[in-house]
């Protein structure tokens, strides 16, 4: 409650004074706290001191008081000691000294075992023109609810259901919100018109939409996925041979990305590539808790060794390692990144940028024909990474394509992220900006393919079909409907490798 009051005062200038009890002095380590305190870009605000600066000349009363400790697997919080609070107050005062009208900050120490002590409450009342006498204030006495006909649990249920109803209404409206935000803004001629009986409608010229999409790609990169300020270092590739058969040779490759951060994966190079010849590459991305060789020779039914199968067909393949392994370590990494306005995909996208840079240096690689093919979390990558990196000429999303907003926020769907362990999945404002239809719009006009098993529990066929229909509609408006396809197959959460392989052969053939 104190934290809510603190943030509310920073956001709403109509609040003349705020009493924030038991929340100051925690610093800017919100990634360690319960996940409901997760706020995207909080550190960029300057921590508590920076937020206090938003008060301007208004009054902020800070009380140091004890509160119950909270501990769970998604974070914990305990009362900071008085020294930590005093240090944060001092830091705040130093920061606010630079402002012409800094807020009036008052500090109070509550009596042991109590909250909302006399000095703090009296100061708040004075700010609203009501003086409180010490003799009338029950210092350190517990408060009791004497109402006999009041059920706080029932009120809590009503408030909770009201919030849930509000959120679900926003989810229901989100498709139209996103289309207005991106599609209809980038190309006004996409706006739905009057009822038409024409057998054939004229198609639009795509160059305007493609050009306008660049600004939305930048917003997706900076405001949703997040970008690090770090400069890329030289890839300095190191490799060792780990596999060989009559058709291809396998190499384990390590690449430097940022100082202290590297990427790695498995490269399969067909043995029959002649000198001076170059071929298309398929980057084959594993899913959650996976490893590069899961796509090569692990014999896992979900992957069907698809990287090796594609290499058998003459493609160069590279299977990178993505960071979503070792529960829950990568989720804590994501939460740390959230504090500075970044996500797990800030690391993943940077790794893939370096992978593309390195692949383009290989004489056997056709740098204009590099495809992305990912399953599960790799399919999630197939939506986000090619949407940001135009070095990927084609993308195949397997076992992941979805109505992402509903997948994250639906409280009833059994496989919703509201009910699974993947608590790192929410992104800042994604539902209002970029669901999978919009991400595909950032991939447009490059070829795009969806692979969906009827028995894949990550979504429902009707959700997938609904979101894909928006993709097909977009490509069709520009006369490019042949560049996107979806394959439903009688299977589960797995690579099918039928329509997708034919799609690769059509758009990135091995000559």
């Amino acid at each position: 409650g104190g934290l809510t009051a603190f943030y509310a005062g920073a956001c709403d200038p109509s609040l003349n004074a705020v009493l924030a009890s038991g929340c100051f002095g925690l610093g800017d380590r919100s990634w360690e706290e319960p996940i409901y305190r997760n706020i995207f870009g909080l550190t960029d605000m300057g921590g508590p001191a920076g937020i206090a600066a938003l008060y301007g000349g208004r009054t902020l009363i800070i009380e140091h008081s004890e509160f119950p400790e909270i501990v769970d697997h998604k974070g914990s919080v305990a009362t900071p000691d008085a020294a930590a609070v005093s240090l944060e107050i001092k830091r705040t005062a130093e920061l606010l000294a630079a402002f012409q009208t800094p807020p009036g900050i008052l500090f109070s120490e509550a009596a042991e075992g109590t909250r909302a002590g006399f000095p703090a409450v009296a100061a708040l009342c004075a700010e609203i023109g009501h003086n409180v006498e010490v003799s009338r204030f029950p210092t350190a006495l517990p408060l009791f609810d004497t109402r006999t006909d009041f059920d706080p649990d029932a009120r809590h249920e009503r408030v909770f259901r009201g919030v849930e109803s509000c959120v679900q209404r926003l989810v229901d409206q989100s498709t139209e919100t996103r289309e207005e935000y991106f599609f209809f803004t980038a190309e006004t001629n996409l706006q739905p018109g009057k009822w038409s009986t024409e057998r054939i409608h004229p198609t639009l010229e795509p160059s305007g939409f493609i050009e306008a999409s660049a600004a939305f790609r930048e917003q997706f990169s900076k405001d949703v996925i997040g970008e690090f300020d770090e400069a890329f270092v030289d890839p300095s590739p190191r490799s060792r041979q780990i596999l060989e058969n009559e058709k291809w040779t396998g190499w384990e490759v390590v690449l430097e990305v940022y100082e202290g951060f590297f990427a790695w994966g498995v490269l399969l190079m067909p043995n029959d590539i002649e000198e001076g010849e170059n071929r298309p590459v398929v980057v084959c991305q594993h899913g959650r808790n996976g490893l590069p060789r899961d796509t090569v020779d692990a014999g896992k039914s979900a992957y069907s060794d698809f990287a090796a199968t594609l290499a058998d067909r003459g493609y160069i393949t590279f299977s990178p390692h993505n960071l979503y392994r070792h529960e829950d370590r990568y989720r804590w990494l994501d939460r740390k990144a959230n504090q500075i306005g970044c996500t797990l995909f800030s690391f993943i996208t940077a790794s893939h940028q370096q992978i593309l840079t390195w692949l383009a240096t290989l004489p056997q690689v056709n740098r204009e024909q590099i495809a992305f093919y990912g399953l599960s979390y790799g399919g999630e990558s197939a939506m986000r990474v090619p949407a940001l990196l135009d070095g990927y000429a084609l993308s195949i999303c397997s076992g992941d394509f979805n109505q992402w907003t509903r997948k994250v926020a639906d409280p009833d769907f059994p496989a919703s992220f509201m009910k699974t362990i993947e608590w790192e999945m929410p992104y800042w404002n994604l539902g209002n900006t970029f669901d999978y239809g919009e991400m595909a719009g950032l991939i447009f006009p490059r070829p795009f393919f969806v692979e969906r098993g009827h028995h894949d529990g990550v979504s429902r066929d009707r959700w997938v079909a609904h979101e894909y229909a928006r993709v097909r509609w977009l490509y069709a408006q520009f006369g490019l409907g042949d560049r996107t396809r979806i394959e439903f197959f009688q299977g589960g959460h797995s690579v099918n490798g039928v329509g997708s392989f034919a799609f690769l052969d059509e758009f990135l053939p091995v000559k």
Side-chain angles (χ1 to χ4, degrees):
L3 196 61
T4 302
F6 179 50
Y7 289 156
C11 294
D12 187 352
S14 70
L15 296 173
N16 296 323
V18 166
L19 166 54
S21 179
C23 69
F24 215 75
L26 295 173
D28 56 0
R29 297 174 66 85
S30 68
W31 62 270
E32 294 180 320
E33 299 171 19
I35 197 166
Y36 63 82
R37 295 170 177 243
N38 208 53
I39 297 179
F40 201 73
L42 186 63
T43 299
D44 288 345
M45 291 294 299
I51 295 170
L54 298 176
Y55 276 73
R58 292 173 291 135
T59 297
L60 171 61
I61 303 161
I62 299 166
E63 181 184 63
H64 178 238
S65 61
E66 296 180 17
F67 53 81
E69 183 177 12
I70 301 171
V71 179
D72 67 27
H73 73 285
K74 300 173 188 173
S76 62
V77 64
T79 303
D81 58 35
V85 178
S86 297
L87 182 64
E88 194 63 31
I89 293 289
K90 180 180 178 182
R91 190 173 80 89
T92 300
E94 292 173 350
L95 186 149
L96 297 180
F99 289 80
Q100 290 183 344
T101 56
I105 295 184
L106 306 176
F107 176 63
S108 176
E109 182 81 32
E112 184 176 352
T114 68
R115 291 183 284 279
F118 172 77
V121 174
L124 180 66
C125 289
E127 287 296 322
I128 59 174
H130 180 70
N131 293 319
V132 179
E133 298 176 10
V134 177
S135 60
R136 297 180 59 188
F137 195 84
T139 305
L141 292 180
L143 301 178
F144 296 96
D145 187 350
T146 59
R147 291 172 291 185
T148 59
D149 59 348
F150 175 69
D151 182 357
D153 290 337
R155 180 175 67 177
H156 180 269
E157 179 73 13
R158 289 195 304 273
V159 172
F160 178 83
R161 294 304 175 191
V163 171
E164 183 180 63
S165 176
C166 176
V167 171
Q168 294 309 309
R169 185 169 66 253
L170 293 174
V171 170
D172 290 341
Q173 297 168 351
S174 64
T175 298
E176 288 73 23
T177 300
R178 290 189 303 272
E179 288 177 345
E180 290 287 348
Y181 166 76
F182 178 14
F183 289 173
F184 303 158
T185 300
E187 174 53 77
T188 57
N189 289 315
L190 290 174
Q191 288 274 8
K194 297 180 180 179
W195 180 270
S196 173
T197 58
E198 294 181 33
R199 189 177 71 84
I200 298 177
H201 272 257
T203 57
L204 302 174
E205 212 289 318
S207 59
F209 182 84
I210 296 168
E211 182 178 354
S213 294
F216 291 94
R217 183 173 295 107
E218 184 176 359
Q219 291 173 20
F220 182 53
S221 179
K222 291 183 176 179
D223 299 338
V224 178
I225 298 299
E227 298 176 356
F228 294 126
D229 294 332
E230 295 289 315
F232 286 103
V233 298
D234 188 282
S236 302
R238 288 97 69 198
S239 63
R240 62 177 181 177
Q241 184 178 329
I242 58 171
L243 296 166
E244 187 174 18
N245 62 31
E246 62 181 13
K247 290 190 174 181
W248 44 260
T249 303
W251 304 80
E252 196 170 61
V253 181
V254 176
L255 305 170
E256 299 298 325
V257 181
Y258 298 133
E259 187 70 33
F261 175 53
F262 66 90
W264 69 281
V266 174
L267 175 72
L268 302 185
M269 186 70 71
N271 296 332
D272 63 351
I273 298 179
E274 298 179 357
E275 186 174 354
E277 179 189 4
N278 55 49
R279 292 191 186 177
V281 180
V282 183
V283 173
C284 301
Q285 190 63 69
H286 64 77
R288 180 165 67 96
N289 284 323
L291 287 168
R293 287 186 65 167
D294 289 346
T295 72
V296 177
D297 62 350
K300 295 183 177 181
S301 59
Y303 295 101
S304 300
D305 296 341
F306 75 107
T309 303
L310 287 167
D312 288 345
R313 296 164 68 101
Y315 288 95
I316 300 169
T317 68
F318 183 69
S319 301
H321 179 258
N322 271 359
L323 285 170
Y324 34 71
R325 188 164 174 262
H326 291 305
E327 316 281 359
D328 277 330
R329 289 175 60 185
Y330 65 86
R331 297 193 172 101
W332 291 109
L333 180 65
D334 181 71
R335 285 201 63 186
K336 288 182 180 180
N338 287 171
Q339 284 204 200
I340 58 171
C342 293
T343 64
L344 191 68
F345 273 94
S346 305
F347 297 94
I348 292 171
T349 304
S351 298
H352 278 270
Q353 179 60 73
Q354 201 74 322
I355 288 166
L356 287 170
T357 299
W358 164 69
L359 285 171
T361 68
L362 301 182
Q364 302 93 333
V365 167
N366 183 335
R367 67 183 65 186
E368 303 299 323
Q369 294 190 322
I370 302 177
F372 196 115
Y373 191 160
L375 171 68
S376 192
Y377 222 135
E380 186 177 335
S381 305
M383 296 306 305
R384 290 156 180 77
V385 175
L388 293 174
L389 304 181
D390 58 10
Y392 282 113
L394 176 153
S395 184
I396 299 173
C397 175
S398 180
D400 183 76
F401 193 85
N402 222 318
Q403 283 184 274
W404 189 258
T405 305
R406 293 194 181 280
K407 173 73 173 178
V408 171
D410 191 313
D412 300 317
F413 178 45
S416 164
F417 289 133
M418 297 286 284
K419 298 185 176 184
T420 69
I421 66 171
E422 291 106 324
W423 45 266
E424 83 282 5
M425 288 301 180
Y427 295 78
W428 168 247
N429 205 29
L430 195 66
N432 285 326
T433 54
F434 300 96
D435 205 314
Y436 276 17
E438 287 70 34
M439 293 181 204
L442 296 177
I443 294 171
F444 175 88
R446 291 166 284 166
F448 175 69
F449 189 92
V450 173
E451 198 169 46
R452 162 70 190 173
H454 285 305
H455 298 276
D456 188 343
V458 304
S459 189
R460 294 166 165 154
D461 278 1
R462 59 185 180 273
W463 285 12
V464 174
H466 171 276
E467 193 68 14
Y468 180 75
R470 300 177 62 234
V471 178
R472 180 64 173 77
W473 174 86
L474 179 69
Y475 275 70
Q477 302 318 298
F478 299 102
L480 300 174
D482 62 330
R483 293 194 184 186
T484 181
R485 281 165 221 161
I486 187 169
E487 179 184 52
F488 289 92
F489 64 95
Q490 188 64 7
H493 192 61
S494 61
V495 168
N496 191 41
V498 179
S500 57
F501 283 12
F503 194 74
L504 282 167
D505 290 342
E506 177 179 349
F507 286 99
L508 300 182
V510 177
K511 297 176 183 179

